Amino acid sequence: MLVDAVRLGGLDVQLQLDPLPDNGFELPVAVDSAAYRVVQEALTNVTRHAGASHAWVTVRREAGGLEVVVVDDGVGASEPHEGGGLRGMRERAGALGATMRAGANSGGGFRVDVRFPLDNFLLDG
């Protein structure tokens, strides 16, 4: 599991999953894959650039969307450098109609917040 691998590298990562009740609803494969890659890249950025000791990953499903938030307690950045990692996350999110915000977290550290809409996919059930 991705979070376990990052923990083995020394970063304390807390994972919170808020799934929909079991009603047969499954995420579209493209959204599931993009959300995984956002978490992967955000945690990679934390380990490489943030100087953080803790990170919090929240994945929250709602009827109309999926929210992925990664926050760390590192040095933060008043103006995030839009390098390959952030640019890749933004492009991946944008291709699915998602919005992404990345920057200094109000409580310190850095925050990446991506909201994927689900109402633009044909869903069964």
Side-chain angles (χ1 to χ4, degrees):
M1 180 178 201
L2 173 63
V3 170
D4 293 331
V6 174
R7 287 178 182 143
L8 287 174
L11 182 66
D12 178 31
V13 181
Q14 301 299 314
L15 176 62
Q16 178 180 340
L17 301 174
D18 292 335
L20 285 173
D22 185 14
N23 61 359
F25 175 84
E26 292 194 25
L27 284 176
V29 172
V31 173
D32 188 46
S33 176
Y36 179 90
R37 293 296 309 238
V38 164
V39 172
Q40 181 180 45
E41 186 59 45
L43 289 176
T44 297
N45 286 347
V46 171
T47 59
R48 288 184 181 168
H49 308 296
S53 55
H54 303 286
W56 296 266
V57 177
T58 303
V59 179
R60 183 176 301 117
R61 285 175 52 177
E62 300 170 350
L66 178 77
E67 179 183 39
V68 177
V69 179
V70 180
V71 179
D72 68 65
D73 65 353
V75 295
S78 57
E79 289 295 323
H81 173 69
E82 191 83 12
L86 287 176
R87 184 173 36 256
M89 281 189 271
R90 193 174 308 283
E91 289 171 359
R92 187 171 283 110
L96 296 173
T99 58
M100 179 181 141
R101 290 182 291 161
N105 187 43
S106 61
F110 196 79
R111 177 183 179 104
V112 173
D113 188 336
V114 181
R115 294 173 187 262
F116 294 94
L118 297 177
D119 54 358
N120 57 350
F121 289 89
L122 296 175
L123 301 175
D124 294 325

